Every structure is written in C-alpha cells, then in structure tokens.
Amino acid sequence: MALPGLPIAPSGDDDVLSRIDPKLCVACKGSRMLCGIDPCPLLARIRHQLPQVAKSGVVGRDLSGSSPPALFVGRHGYPKVTVGPMLPPDRRDEAGARRLDDPRSWMGLAIPDVVGLRSSLVRTTHSVRIHEPRPPGDIFSNDRILRASQELALSARPVDTEVRLERAPRFGQVAVGEFTPPHGPTAALERAMLAENVRVERPLERAANDTDLRAGEAIGSLYDAGVDHYQLEKVLSAGLLGLGAKRKLVPTRWSITATDDQVGQHLIEEVRDFPSVDQPTVQFAERFGNRFFVLTLPGPWSFESIEAWLKGNFWSRDAAEIVAADHEDWRGRKAYAATAGGYYATRLSVLEHLVALRRQATVIVHREITEGYTTPLGVWVVRETTKAALAAKPLPFDDIPAALRHIERHALLKTWQSHSNLLPLLRSRRTLDSFSSPRPLDP
C-alpha cells in the first residue's frame, strides 16, 4: 500500500477501510462514492503515507509561474464547480514547464518520481457555474478568472501566469487519484491573469469559434487535424466546444473519459472499413506495476478489456484478485463500461494502432494490476502503457490456441480466460475458414 520503505501506521482511516468491501473500491476508484464516504478514505490515507515533498524558499500568496499550460475543473458541488489555472511557483523554460503536464514523458520514471515532479504544480480554485455567461459574440466567459483558464486551455505552449491566492499554499502532501495525475497543494484564488499572449493552433481557433459545431464532431475533426489528445481534454473541460447555447464546463475527471470515448468512436468508423489482420499476435508491456497483454486476432472489429486487480495493489488492498471485463462487438458499445475510464483509454490506444496499420481486428487486452501499483497516478497510465505494448515487436502465432497458451504461461492470473466474455463468442462463431479447416479454440 505504501511506497517502498514507508511504514503504514494504524489510523481511523484503517478502521473505516476494514469495513469496506475491496470490490467496491475497485469499482469506484475514489470517484463514485459507492461506500457513501466522501472524500475517499483510501485516498485520504495514502496522502499521509506519501513522502513529504519539500519546497525550497518561501512561497507567499502571489505566484508567478509557467503553466504547462494546464487548468483543473473540479466536480464537487456540480453544477457549481471550481476552476483555475495550474502552475508551479516559479518560471521555467518551455521544456521544463511542458514536462509538468506531459504524461508521455513520465513513462520512464518511477512512481515516486512522477509524484515528486507533479508535487510543485499548484491547483488553484475559483467557484463558478458550469453555464457561466459570456459576452455577446465572445467564446470566453465574463468571469476574469474563468476567462484566463479558458485561454490557457487553447494555448499551444506554456504561458507565464500570475495569480493571487487567498492564502499561501502549503507544499508537502500531494493529491492523487485514479483518473487525474497527481498535483501539489490546492489554493483558492483572488485573481489570475496571463502575463503573455497565448498562441493558438488554427484548427483549435476555428473549432472554438464555431458555435454551430457539436462537441463530438469538433473533437473528431481536431484529432484528425493533429491536435494533441491531452489538449482536447482541456478544451472540452474549459467549455470551449459544442453548440453555443449548450457549452458548459466539464469536470476534468469526466472530460478525460469523454475525450477517449469520442475519439474512439470516431476511429471505429474508420477501422471498420479496413481489411482484417491475417494472424494472431501477442504484445506485452509493464509500467508502474501494471502488466498489459494485447491479443490481436483476425476478424471484424471487436474489443475487450479485462482488468485483474491482484492482491496487494492500491485499490484491492489485501483481497484476493478482483476481475472485471467489458467488451463490444463491431456495432460498438452503448452502456458505460464497468471498468470505467480504463476501458476507453485502452480502446483508444488499440484503435490508434489499428489505424496506423490500416487493419481491423478482434483485440483482447488483459491488464494485471500488481502490488507494484502503490499509488494511483491517473488513467494516462492505462493509455500510455497500452501504447507501449503495441509499440513492442508482436509475437506471431499459427493459431489462436497457441497465442492463448503463451499468455497463460506468462500471466500472473492463470484463470484470466474464464473472465472473458468475448472468447466464448469467438468459440461459437462459424466462419468459412472454420468449416474448411476446423480447429478448436481451447488450448
């Protein structure tokens, strides 16, 4: 549960946690309050166990720093939410500022390194309504703090930002969660301003000014235009996409999954028209105590994500393995996945890979979350580790049983196949090939 070398001291949180079924924790991941306790007692406990991150020098109420650029929209109190820029208490060069909010650059780090890197990023808060009024003909809010946050969301590069806080931030403990990356102290704002003009990419400028374009269509067109996926999350969160009358702020946690889902649906339309891959392959990657096996099979587009939370990881604690699975066939998926944001993040990485190959396939991703996952870092871990697996050299197999046997030999959960919903459907599928050369799917 704690980072290596950190003792776990008994606390009131431990007493509470002992009465909560770990299955609830795995299903909730601190976001749905399934246990009825807010804030999450497990997240509250881990904050006290993380190493104290010291900040050199005295930091007062006035901060001048380089925002990566980044903003955060909270969800508590919805439809009244908090919003504000995220910035360190100092100015940095462009590369240093970008790294504060660039998950791709964190993949070679250890968990304490990611936590330490993000610990200097102050989350500022200012209370607004999700439908904050805008001046006629303006895409930005009347509210000055919200306006500065919205301008940050559109920026193509880091922006020097100046804020005045209600009180000096207290650096030390870090806020962590399963959906968003860790961040440093949270502090309420009195005012905020950008100390320089922002540079906006032309496609983003056009989409933000097009108040007749639906948000889903805007996300698809911006993705095709090469706008970075992580910036799409911010722009959606800042309420800068969609039909003019319906634009609203979207809590950061929700915008992450919504962007993954919208881009994924956009790519599915393209993938369905490609020819199938011609043989089974297996690819693998492991990061931050998460192990990903990607099984790619010939056939029409279909997808399954299996998550096995093994004993000793952050959310399942000391319970035996807890397994959940979600899938879709070529028609897509309507109901929200039980595996939540991880499903859509994994699916997006798979679809991007298939688009690059110009192939469609049936893909099953088996994820094992081990005791090495000591601290939740955000759903980016799922998205980027799936990409890492798909970037690895694929192992080809003559048939599906051989590919399944390979995964079973290397997986920690030997019974993973029994949790799949897609494999039984594949076993019952009858194709021309199966009649001409029958071959059992079971090893």
Side-chain angles (χ1 to χ4, degrees):
M1 289 295 299
L3 293 177
L6 290 175
I8 300 179
S11 69
D13 290 329
D14 293 319
D15 294 336
V16 172
L17 288 169
S18 67
R19 298 192 295 271
I20 299 175
D21 187 344
K23 291 182 180 179
L24 280 182
C25 296
V26 168
C28 175
K29 301 182 183 72
S31 66
R32 297 158 62 188
M33 307 309 156
L34 297 181
C35 66
I37 303 174
D38 189 12
C40 169
L42 189 53
L43 289 177
R45 184 175 76 164
I46 194 64
R47 291 186 186 111
H48 293 288
Q49 295 171 358
L50 289 171
Q52 296 293 302
V53 182
K55 177 69 184 72
S56 60
V58 177
V59 179
R61 294 172 58 197
D62 294 303
L63 298 186
S64 296
S66 303
S67 182
L71 77 156
F72 194 101
V73 179
R75 63 185 176 84
H76 291 288
Y78 189 90
K80 194 170 185 179
V81 297
T82 56
V83 62
M86 300 182 75
L87 69 158
D90 50 35
R91 286 190 165 94
R92 309 186 180 195
D93 61 28
E94 183 168 332
R98 281 189 184 278
R99 195 163 189 249
L100 289 173
D101 202 40
D102 180 17
R104 298 180 189 91
S105 70
W106 307 338
M107 288 296 285
L109 303 179
I111 288 178
D113 297 327
V114 176
V115 172
L117 176 70
R118 292 278 298 185
S119 66
S120 64
L121 203 57
V122 179
R123 174 194 166 191
T124 65
T125 63
H126 171 64
S127 184
V128 293
R129 292 165 292 173
I130 58 169
H131 289 292
E132 198 66 26
R134 299 173 171 85
D138 197 341
I139 64 170
F140 299 117
S141 169
N142 277 320
D143 185 285
R144 291 183 177 181
I145 292 176
L146 176 53
R147 186 183 187 94
S149 302
Q150 291 175 320
E151 290 178 358
L152 269 178
L154 288 174
S155 180
R157 59 177 177 79
V159 181
D160 287 343
T161 305
E162 298 176 355
V163 302
R164 183 168 182 81
L165 307 172
E166 289 186 0
R167 61 187 63 181
R170 298 179 59 185
F171 289 88
Q173 292 177 357
V174 182
V176 295
E178 184 64 20
F179 290 85
T180 58
H183 62 77
T186 298
L189 277 170
E190 286 189 0
R191 63 175 180 265
M193 63 174 289
L194 307 186
E196 58 180 323
N197 293 327
V198 301
R199 181 171 65 84
V200 183
E201 294 180 9
R202 185 61 60 84
L204 262 179
E205 184 178 12
R206 287 197 298 265
N209 282 285
D210 189 347
T211 55
D212 294 321
L213 184 65
R214 296 182 182 276
E217 296 171 353
I219 289 173
S221 64
L222 289 170
Y223 179 87
D224 288 342
V227 176
D228 185 77
H229 172 274
Y230 290 104
Q231 186 168 24
L232 291 176
E233 296 174 355
K234 299 171 191 174
V235 176
L236 178 64
S237 189
L240 294 172
L241 298 178
L243 301 177
K246 295 185 177 181
R247 289 189 175 185
K248 62 183 178 181
L249 296 174
V250 180
T252 297
R253 181 179 295 180
W254 302 350
S255 72
I256 292 171
T257 297
T259 302
D260 285 342
D261 186 28
Q262 289 291 334
V263 176
Q265 290 184 47
H266 176 69
L267 294 181
I268 286 173
E269 296 300 319
E270 187 175 359
V271 165
R272 285 191 187 119
D273 293 332
F274 293 147
S276 171
V277 299
D278 55 9
Q279 71 178 136
T281 62
V282 175
Q283 291 158 286
F284 173 80
E286 181 174 7
R287 298 288 191 280
F288 308 110
N290 286 257
R291 310 173 80 240
F292 283 77
F293 296 88
V294 182
L295 174 64
T296 303
L297 305 173
W301 162 254
S302 53
F303 172 74
E304 182 169 42
S305 174
I306 303 170
E307 289 187 353
W309 297 80
L310 306 181
K311 184 176 181 178
N313 76 77
F314 180 82
W315 291 110
S316 66
R317 310 196 297 280
D318 292 328
E321 66 267 3
I322 300 172
V323 185
D326 291 287
H327 74 283
E328 62 186 73
D329 59 19
W330 62 272
R331 294 167 294 186
R333 182 181 183 87
K334 300 297 183 182
Y336 185 69
T339 48
Y343 178 87
Y344 303 98
T346 305
R347 186 185 69 175
L348 175 57
S349 294
V350 167
L351 285 163
E352 289 178 326
H353 178 69
L354 293 176
V355 168
L357 293 178
R358 300 193 66 80
R359 292 289 186 270
Q360 66 173 307
T362 293
V363 181
I364 299 175
V365 179
H366 173 54
R367 175 191 178 197
E368 297 181 327
I369 305 94
T370 72
E371 61 183 6
Y373 192 51
T374 57
T375 306
L377 297 177
V379 78
W380 64 269
V381 170
V382 178
R383 187 184 306 109
E384 298 300 331
T385 309
T386 304
K387 288 183 181 179
L390 291 165
K393 184 177 181 180
L395 293 175
F397 294 89
D398 292 334
D399 53 33
I400 297 174
L404 292 174
R405 286 194 296 269
H406 173 82
I407 296 177
E408 187 169 332
R409 281 196 299 269
H410 294 87
L412 299 177
L413 182 66
K414 302 304 180 182
T415 60
W416 73 273
Q417 288 187 54
S418 67
H419 298 280
S420 172
N421 296 300
L422 203 51
L423 283 175
L425 296 177
L426 295 176
R427 291 186 176 102
S428 64
R429 181 188 295 165
R430 293 294 182 264
T431 65
L432 291 177
D433 287 342
S434 70
F435 284 111
S436 60
S437 56
R439 180 178 289 160
L441 184 61
D442 291 313

